[in-house]
Amino acid sequence: MCVIPFTEENQQVQTDDLGVQFTEMFIKQQENVTMVLSILEEFDFHVRWPGVKLLTSLLRQQGPQVQQIILVSPMGVSRLMDLLDDSREVIRNDGLLLLQQLTKSNAAIQKIVAFENAFERLLDIITEEGNSDGGVAVRPGASYLLTMTSSSCSHAAAPPQADFVCPVEGRAKYCSMQALGQVREAQRLRIAVLCSALNRADKVSLCRSRSVNTRRGRHRKKMGVVVRSGASYRTRTAAGSGSSTVMLLAQTVCTLDQTALPLKLAGIVVEDCLLLLQNLLKYNNSNQNFFKEGSYIQRMKPWFEVGDDNSGWSAQKVTNLHLMLQLVRVLVSPGNPPGATSSCQKFMYQCGLLQQLCIILMATGVPADILTECQPPIGSSIHPRSVSPNEWLGEKDFTTINTVSEVIRGNQVNQDYFASVNAPSNPPRPAIVVLLMSMVNERQPFVLRCAVLYCFQCFLYKNQKGQGEIVATLLPSTIDATSLSAGQLLCGGLFSTDSLSNWCAAVALAHALLDNSTQKEQLLRVQLATSIGNPPVSLLQQCTNILAQVQVFTWHLK
């Protein structure tokens, strides 16, 4: 049943249509879905796990229709939430994937799932799996393979803790040898050989062969593995030849050193939990309020704790951290009701979450890979994946910049704290100055410069105190010739030969004057030394001269 509605990405369109048709036929009678939901109450692994896979496939094919059937079924959502408490990781992890499909674009189900204690359960799982550090990707198929083939486990036993990386299912495509650092070299070789053998098969699945008639005769009831390659099938039992793939796997698992580094589902499981949390919180004000009142924001702080040495981050950790930053932005998005956003900002400062974000922003060694997934709110058509990091902020996370921006936006306390943050440079410089240095540097990526501009705008949003401090760095009485100030950087960018620097600096200065008559008057006092030997001119006069030159140049071009 799971194979019929499920379609792989590389299959033909006709096969996709066939899967949709079978799903429509199956859910045409709602009793079919209700029966599958009742089957999930069975504790037997060989009943519960296929039921989870079937429901997930149905939701992928006909999500809204299946969601409505589950919504009206008595205790339908509650039965699915019980999967998160299953002691068998295979079922729990596939339950996460099922709940992701279930909660997509359905506010009613999202609320029910949230009030079924979903936040507490998901945060507990994230903590148990190591927060952002996570582990190596081991998908349920690999864990199940270990369960069924290990000589120390009976076929009815619950799956053991996954200790092995195996590319059995589509979402586990690799075996990370780096993560096996504490495993003996001989074990590494055996695992690599096994993964290579499994990769040559189209699909590896497990079954219990019962007493049935087949083309090859009658088989006894025993544990077996069916290896499908093209259209041919061959059956090998776990007690079969020692040269079989299954025996190699069983021997590898049984000989693993118990003191070796445990390789768990942690990394991918944390990612799945974060994706489910985003489904529950994004555009759902009720769940966001419940998340805040349940004191769950405080539990997010350990996610962003980084050490002094930030080198060697795994790709999975980068992905997890990126999703965690996105989750913070969901809670403080400018699109949320103002009261809800302000309340979340307050909690994030009080619990130290803002402080941790600023530490990441100013820390050295944060991987440049985190840069590649940003979505700057200002808007940019340039994706920086191919851009190499440059200088200080080239190794920072654009998403972190945007996250900090929205945590401080319109909140005076948070804005004051951000103004006091210093970068660990020699001599120490304010974080605002370091950010502006990147904004007016034409060698920096376009998306980074836009992210810094957005951060500066958020810092000045409804912040008359900050506006006054920025304008004050331009006044003659407050200029310190020995240090670089925000005002000097903005003036330098305003009259730079780089057009993007001109635009960024002009927009930044405009926000320093927005809805502030006092600072507009103060800016008229600013005098600029255009060249040696010439008298200084006012900032307004210099801007007017530049505009006049641009108009004359444009007229000549016409």
Side-chain angles (χ1 to χ4, degrees):
M1 290 297 295
C2 294
V3 176
I4 293 174
F6 181 74
T7 58
E8 297 289 345
E9 293 180 359
N10 59 351
Q11 288 183 326
Q12 298 178 354
V13 177
Q14 292 85 349
T15 308
D16 296 338
D17 294 339
L18 184 63
V20 174
Q21 293 174 14
F22 274 114
T23 303
E24 290 177 350
M25 294 168 57
F26 185 81
I27 66 175
K28 191 173 183 179
Q29 295 183 351
Q30 297 187 8
E31 295 79 7
N32 292 337
V33 179
T34 305
M35 187 180 299
V36 177
L37 288 172
S38 63
I39 288 175
L40 295 181
E41 293 183 349
E42 293 288 339
F43 187 74
D44 187 354
F45 178 83
H46 303 284
V47 176
R48 202 174 202 190
W49 187 52
V52 173
K53 303 289 284 186
L54 176 58
L55 270 178
T56 305
S57 299
L58 295 175
L59 283 164
R60 283 174 179 158
Q61 295 293 343
Q62 295 289 341
Q65 293 88 333
V66 179
Q67 285 174 338
Q68 189 60 32
I69 296 173
I70 295 175
L71 189 60
V72 299
S73 299
M75 302 295 292
V77 177
S78 298
R79 289 172 180 171
L80 300 181
M81 287 299 299
D82 290 340
L83 298 173
L84 297 182
D85 296 327
D86 199 301
S87 59
R88 296 161 294 191
E89 287 192 0
V90 178
I91 295 179
R92 184 201 68 180
N93 299 336
D94 272 338
L96 286 170
L97 301 179
L98 171 59
L99 291 171
Q100 284 182 28
Q101 298 295 326
L102 179 67
T103 55
K104 280 185 177 179
S105 305
N106 193 307
I109 292 180
Q110 290 168 359
K111 291 179 182 179
I112 296 174
V113 171
F115 281 97
E116 286 282 348
N117 205 24
F119 295 138
E120 183 77 27
R121 296 179 183 184
L122 293 173
L123 292 174
D124 286 343
I125 294 174
I126 292 173
T127 302
E128 291 170 3
E129 303 294 354
N131 294 326
S132 62
D133 289 334
V136 180
V138 184
R139 266 310 184 192
S143 183
Y144 185 53
L145 187 60
L146 292 175
T147 303
M148 304 299 289
T149 55
S150 177
S151 60
S152 62
C153 300
S154 66
H155 66 274
Q161 297 290 327
D163 297 337
F164 179 70
V165 182
C166 182
V168 176
E169 295 191 357
R171 296 189 67 183
K173 304 255 184 208
Y174 63 92
C175 177
S176 177
M177 291 293 104
Q178 181 181 3
L180 301 174
Q182 299 183 18
V183 182
R184 294 195 300 267
E185 291 298 325
Q187 294 167 347
R188 289 190 184 205
L189 179 60
R190 300 179 73 178
I191 291 173
V193 171
L194 174 62
C195 288
S196 177
L198 289 178
N199 273 325
R200 289 194 295 268
D202 294 334
K203 184 176 181 180
V204 178
S205 61
L206 296 168
C207 69
R208 287 187 300 168
S209 302
R210 300 185 180 275
S211 298
V212 295
N213 290 320
T214 65
R215 290 181 304 172
R216 299 188 179 182
R218 193 174 188 86
H219 294 272
R220 295 180 179 179
K221 182 189 294 186
K222 59 178 69 176
M223 190 81 65
V225 59
V226 177
V227 181
R228 176 182 178 185
S229 180
S232 63
Y233 294 80
R234 58 183 182 274
T235 303
R236 298 175 179 174
T237 64
S241 172
S243 63
S244 69
T245 301
V246 177
M247 280 302 299
L248 179 58
L249 173 58
Q251 292 170 8
T252 303
V253 173
C254 294
T255 56
L256 281 174
D257 189 354
Q258 297 301 318
T259 62
L261 178 66
L263 305 179
K264 299 183 178 180
L265 289 161
I268 287 288
V269 173
V270 171
E271 179 183 345
D272 290 338
C273 289
L274 293 169
L275 290 172
L276 179 53
L277 283 171
Q278 285 194 24
N279 283 357
L280 296 175
L281 293 172
K282 201 167 187 178
Y283 308 126
N284 194 315
N285 297 328
S286 174
N287 281 359
Q288 290 176 10
N289 188 55
F290 181 61
F291 190 86
K292 177 195 63 179
E293 292 179 351
S295 301
Y296 297 121
I297 292 179
Q298 290 86 325
R299 296 188 59 179
M300 298 170 69
K301 179 188 174 183
W303 296 355
F304 305 102
E305 292 178 353
V306 296
D308 296 333
D309 183 12
N310 297 309
S311 59
W313 282 16
S314 66
Q316 187 60 58
K317 179 172 181 178
V318 171
T319 299
N320 292 344
L321 186 59
H322 173 69
L323 291 172
M324 291 170 176
L325 291 168
Q326 284 185 336
L327 195 61
V328 174
R329 295 187 68 186
V330 166
L331 296 172
V332 294
S333 171
N336 295 341
T341 298
S342 176
S343 181
C344 289
Q345 290 173 329
K346 179 181 178 181
F347 275 103
M348 289 178 183
Y349 175 77
Q350 291 176 344
C351 72
L353 179 57
L354 173 59
Q355 292 85 332
Q356 288 298 135
L357 293 174
C358 290
I359 290 174
I360 293 178
L361 183 63
M362 293 290 108
T364 57
V366 175
D369 290 347
I370 306 180
L371 298 173
T372 62
E373 298 296 337
C374 84
Q375 298 175 352
I378 296 176
S380 167
S381 59
I382 298 178
H383 197 282
R385 182 174 294 278
S386 61
V387 180
S388 59
N390 292 315
E391 299 182 0
W392 179 262
L393 277 175
E395 296 182 357
K396 298 296 172 286
D397 176 14
F398 298 173
T399 308
T400 304
I401 297 176
N402 292 328
T403 303
V404 171
S405 304
E406 293 177 356
V407 173
I408 67 174
R409 184 178 185 272
N411 188 293
Q412 187 67 56
V413 175
N414 293 4
Q415 289 166 337
D416 290 344
Y417 171 78
F418 183 68
S420 67
V421 174
N422 287 323
S425 57
N426 189 16
R429 284 181 174 148
I432 296 175
V433 172
V434 174
L435 289 170
L436 291 177
M437 288 172 64
S438 295
M439 188 186 74
V440 298
N441 185 348
E442 60 184 84
R443 292 178 296 173
Q444 293 288 6
F446 172 74
V447 179
L448 170 61
R449 300 170 74 178
C450 288
V452 173
L453 176 58
Y454 180 66
C455 183
F456 193 73
Q457 291 175 355
C458 291
F459 169 67
L460 296 178
Y461 182 69
K462 294 183 179 180
N463 183 8
Q464 292 194 353
K465 177 182 177 183
Q467 290 175 321
E469 291 173 350
I470 296 298
V471 173
T473 60
L474 292 167
L475 300 178
S477 59
T478 58
I479 293 179
D480 184 2
T482 62
S483 63
L484 192 61
S485 67
Q488 291 172 327
L489 288 169
L490 291 177
C491 275
L494 191 62
F495 306 117
S496 170
T497 56
D498 175 38
S499 57
L500 182 57
S501 295
N502 300 155
W503 177 74
C504 289
V507 174
L509 273 176
H511 280 267
L513 307 176
L514 193 64
D515 299 328
N516 196 324
S517 301
T518 303
Q519 301 311 320
K520 293 177 183 178
E521 295 174 1
Q522 291 290 339
L523 200 63
L524 294 175
R525 297 173 49 204
V526 175
Q527 299 290 317
L528 300 176
T530 56
S531 59
I532 299 176
N534 292 332
V537 298
S538 68
L539 177 61
L540 180 61
Q541 180 180 347
Q542 183 66 11
C543 290
T544 304
N545 294 339
I546 293 176
L547 288 175
Q549 294 174 4
V550 171
Q551 289 179 348
V552 171
F553 178 74
T554 305
W555 184 82
H556 281 295
L557 287 178
K558 293 180 180 180

